[in-house]
Amino acid sequence: MRDSSSCSSFFSHFCSSALRAKPLSNSSDVVRINSGEGLVRRLGPFDLILLGIGASIGAGIFVVTGTVARDAGPGVTISFMLAGASCVLNALCYAELASRFPAVVGGAYLYTYTAFNELTAFLVFTQMMLDYHIGAASIARSLASYIINILELIPFLKNSIPNWVGHGGKEIFGFVSINLLAPVLLVLLTLILCRGVGESSLVNTIMTTTKIVIVLVVIIVGAFETDGSNWSPFAPNGFKSMLTGATVAFFAYVGFDAVANSAEESKRPQRDLPIGIIGSLLVCMALYIGVCLVITGMVPYNFLGEDAPLAEAFKSKGLHFVSVLISVGAVSGLTTTLLVGLYVQSRLYLGLGRDGLLPTIFARVHPTRHTPIQSQIWVGFIACILAGMLNVHLLSHVLSVGSLAGYSVVAACVITLRWKNNIGSQISATSMSHRLEGIICITVIACCGFTAGILFRYTVSPFAYIFLVVPITFAILATAALRFRQEQMDPTGFSCPWVPMVPALCIFVNIFLFAQLHYEAWVRFIVLSIVAIGVYAFYGQHHADPTVEREVVTYHKAPEDEAL
């Protein structure tokens, strides 16, 4: 009898904890934390744009563009345009929320905590964090391999460096592969991030500027080597190949959310964060499209290489010096992507540590460096273990599921936080009814996106595509219900246009892409969600309380001579 009562009490406490939300504060001057000092505001709009570019453009611009072009042909340009347009929609949602929550770190986790509930926020964190951890380890190993390739250009080092130093040693048990250089690089970048946001921003600025200059040189030089006949036929495998290519290209843009996680270190977050998010994405789109046009114009799409298509294209034209530049650009790109990735992870851990969902050690900020050193060291440690011991490339096909899920929830947050009376001490029965109706409509849109994605993925006959009309129609009806049934309020700061249509389209497209992922990614999503619920049940719900009054810490403003 006592056990039954205990289980009932545990379940009741779990439900009440899981459904609580963080109160929305309009203050952008203070932040409530557990302990330690605040982060320092040093990042202006230019720094934030470079931060977004550094997170988005890595070696992928020299590889992914060619990989997609092998299937889509010159239509790869349309693939990257479609993917970029989809990311712009997501970026508009991020920009509104980043402007609305300018005071604290947390990104998608924070938005979900406020718009929905504690458990959903924790699930978003765990899904996105696994993507970040595996992605950082994978990038570190790729960076180590590129550096070894450059070192082997020196005659006496050629073919004399063991594989286990940088390329990865012989696999043991199918997944253990020793790499010595990758952890060393991660330690160096972690030390830079621990030094302070000024130092890490300087490194990112130098490396990202180098990368952009090299890409521009590649585009300009390559433009004089193009042959218009290589662009015909423009879509040799039809529109479906271009749309499938867009699902791959989508992940080449992922990274603009890093800007949203720099809220506490932005000089004027309400103005600068939207500029950084949208500005970095537009620059990335222009660079990707330029590279796509050059690579397909220089070499027939069916002759592009697999591993380094852009470098091989320039070698085929006798421009070997450009191929060397491409290797340098790849190193710069991977370095900035890795640096920003580690930066974002530490800020997410900082946010959860402050809220009590993780141990308070993650909430500490160094009093003079103004960086979350404990969180940063933990992030670097995890990345070192994964990069130094495992062949993380085997896990690459389970990546991106967390990002797509997180982006979808962010879009849903925009819709939810626009509803009147959503935030406040008194919530009427009518308001709660409208909120429930809205959440049902959002769920319907997500289910329709997944259904459409499955139909598109597994449909063989062109005639069967007519069935796509059904989920699309239901999604449109659910969006119309959101538009006409829900009262809305206009936010302060940046405003995402055409709400709820734009966020609803984001959800539909993101979940459509979710359906295109390998089935193992779906399994990973389900298993990790179950694990996260277990962690929350036995730790998070007992330590987190979003309503507890904590120490108020005023931000350290940027020096007057550094202000914009």
Side-chain angles (χ1 to χ4, degrees):
M1 192 70 177
R2 182 178 298 176
D3 291 340
S4 176
S5 176
S6 177
C7 289
S8 177
S9 175
F10 178 85
F11 182 74
S12 176
H13 185 270
F14 175 84
C15 290
S16 62
S17 300
L19 295 177
R20 63 193 175 194
K22 178 188 284 290
L24 175 61
S25 172
N26 293 321
S27 174
S28 60
D29 295 324
V30 298
V31 57
R32 300 185 183 279
I33 65 173
N34 288 318
S35 61
E37 301 269 344
L39 301 178
V40 61
R41 291 185 180 277
R42 297 193 53 135
L43 302 179
F46 181 71
D47 299 308
L48 294 172
I49 290 175
L50 289 180
L51 187 72
I53 296 172
S56 299
I57 293 186
I61 197 169
F62 306 113
V63 179
V64 175
T65 48
T67 303
V68 177
R70 286 182 63 85
D71 295 322
V76 63
T77 307
I78 303 299
S79 296
F80 273 89
M81 286 182 178
L82 292 172
S86 174
C87 284
V88 166
L89 297 178
N90 284 283
L92 291 172
C93 295
Y94 257 99
E96 174 172 321
L97 296 178
S99 175
R100 191 165 184 166
F101 295 80
V104 287
V105 296
Y109 153 77
L110 172 66
Y111 311 150
T112 308
Y113 203 167
T114 305
F116 292 105
N117 54 64
E118 192 170 280
L119 179 59
T120 305
F122 189 68
L123 290 173
V124 167
F125 164 78
T126 54
Q127 293 290 347
M128 297 189 74
M129 189 52 63
L130 184 59
D131 275 6
Y132 281 128
H133 280 317
I134 297 175
S138 179
I139 292 169
R141 288 179 76 101
S142 296
L143 176 59
S145 182
Y146 268 102
I147 290 176
I148 294 299
N149 287 337
I150 292 177
L151 290 175
E152 287 182 340
L153 294 176
I154 303 173
F156 70 88
L157 291 179
K158 189 173 183 179
N159 299 324
S160 62
I161 302 177
N163 284 337
W164 54 267
V165 173
H167 293 299
K170 186 177 180 181
E171 291 182 6
I172 305 172
F173 306 119
F175 62 92
V176 176
S177 175
I178 303 300
N179 189 310
L180 183 62
L181 182 57
V184 173
L185 297 172
L186 284 164
V187 169
L188 292 175
L189 292 179
T190 299
L191 290 175
I192 292 173
L193 288 165
C194 289
R195 289 274 302 172
V197 67
E199 290 79 358
S200 56
S201 177
L202 177 62
V203 172
N204 181 66
T205 298
I206 294 173
M207 300 296 279
T208 301
T209 303
T210 301
K211 173 174 57 180
I212 293 174
V213 170
I214 291 175
V215 172
L216 290 175
V217 170
V218 167
I219 293 173
I220 294 171
V221 174
F224 290 98
E225 301 292 334
T226 57
D227 183 353
S229 62
N230 291 330
W231 290 325
S232 181
F234 190 76
N237 297 316
F239 177 75
K240 184 174 181 179
S241 66
M242 292 191 294
L243 189 57
T244 303
T247 65
V248 178
F250 177 89
F251 306 114
Y253 289 102
V254 170
F256 56 83
D257 57 326
V259 180
N261 284 285
S262 63
E264 282 191 39
E265 290 151 297
S266 171
K267 292 179 181 178
R268 300 176 183 177
Q270 259 187 322
R271 184 200 68 172
D272 295 348
L273 291 178
I275 292 174
I277 291 171
I278 298 174
S280 62
L281 184 56
L282 293 177
V283 172
C284 291
M285 283 183 65
L287 294 178
Y288 274 123
I289 291 170
V291 170
C292 288
L293 290 172
V294 165
I295 193 173
T296 53
M298 290 179 65
V299 179
Y301 75 94
N302 51 331
F303 288 103
L304 288 172
E306 289 283 354
D307 298 324
L310 194 58
E312 292 177 16
F314 278 93
K315 284 182 181 178
S316 69
K317 298 292 184 178
L319 301 172
H320 295 280
F321 76 96
V322 179
S323 64
V324 175
L325 276 180
I326 290 172
S327 296
V328 175
V331 169
S332 299
L334 286 168
T335 302
T336 56
T337 303
L338 184 56
L339 184 75
V340 175
L342 295 173
Y343 165 89
V344 170
Q345 291 176 60
S346 68
R347 270 56 182 177
L348 285 173
Y349 275 105
L350 173 64
L352 269 83
R354 286 173 172 174
D355 291 332
L357 288 167
L358 291 177
T360 55
I361 188 174
F362 293 112
R364 297 175 185 171
V365 176
H366 195 276
T368 57
R369 296 291 180 188
H370 304 298
T371 58
I373 290 182
Q374 285 84 354
S375 295
Q376 199 68 71
I377 292 175
W378 169 256
V379 167
F381 173 75
I382 295 296
C384 285
I385 295 297
L386 293 176
M389 302 293 294
L390 303 178
N391 181 7
V392 290
H393 294 290
L394 296 175
L395 302 176
S396 60
H397 54 276
V398 301
L399 282 175
S400 302
V401 61
S403 298
L404 284 173
Y407 287 1
S408 300
V409 174
V410 167
C413 289
V414 172
I415 299 173
T416 305
L417 290 172
R418 287 286 193 100
W419 297 335
K420 286 185 178 180
N421 299 321
N422 182 55
I423 307 298
S425 57
Q426 299 293 329
I427 301 180
S428 66
T430 302
S431 175
M432 287 299 295
S433 175
H434 284 174
R435 177 181 171 83
L436 180 59
E437 291 173 9
I439 292 175
I440 291 173
C441 289
I442 291 170
T443 304
V444 168
I445 293 169
C447 292
C448 288
F450 188 78
T451 302
I454 292 296
L455 289 173
F456 177 81
R457 179 174 180 175
Y458 293 108
T459 295
V460 178
S461 170
F463 177 76
Y465 285 123
I466 194 171
F467 291 109
L468 288 171
V469 174
V470 176
I472 291 174
T473 300
F474 275 101
I476 292 174
L477 292 175
T479 304
L482 283 173
R483 177 64 183 87
F484 295 111
R485 284 287 293 156
Q486 302 297 328
E487 296 180 87
Q488 296 187 12
M489 59 180 293
D490 292 326
T492 57
F494 182 86
S495 177
C496 176
W498 303 310
V499 175
M501 282 74 77
V502 167
L505 183 59
C506 284
I507 295 170
F508 185 90
V509 172
N510 291 340
I511 301 301
F512 179 92
L513 296 176
F514 184 100
Q516 311 305 310
L517 297 176
H518 196 278
Y519 76 92
E520 290 184 11
W522 305 343
V523 173
R524 166 232 142 146
F525 180 83
I526 295 172
V527 171
L528 183 59
S529 296
I530 294 173
V531 172
I533 291 172
V535 172
Y536 176 79
F538 290 100
Y539 182 86
Q541 67 164 327
H542 301 294
H543 294 82
D545 188 349
T547 63
V548 169
E549 289 295 320
R550 295 184 176 127
E551 178 185 0
V552 177
V553 178
T554 304
Y555 281 121
H556 295 266
K557 303 293 184 182
E560 291 298 327
D561 58 350
E562 293 184 13
L564 296 180

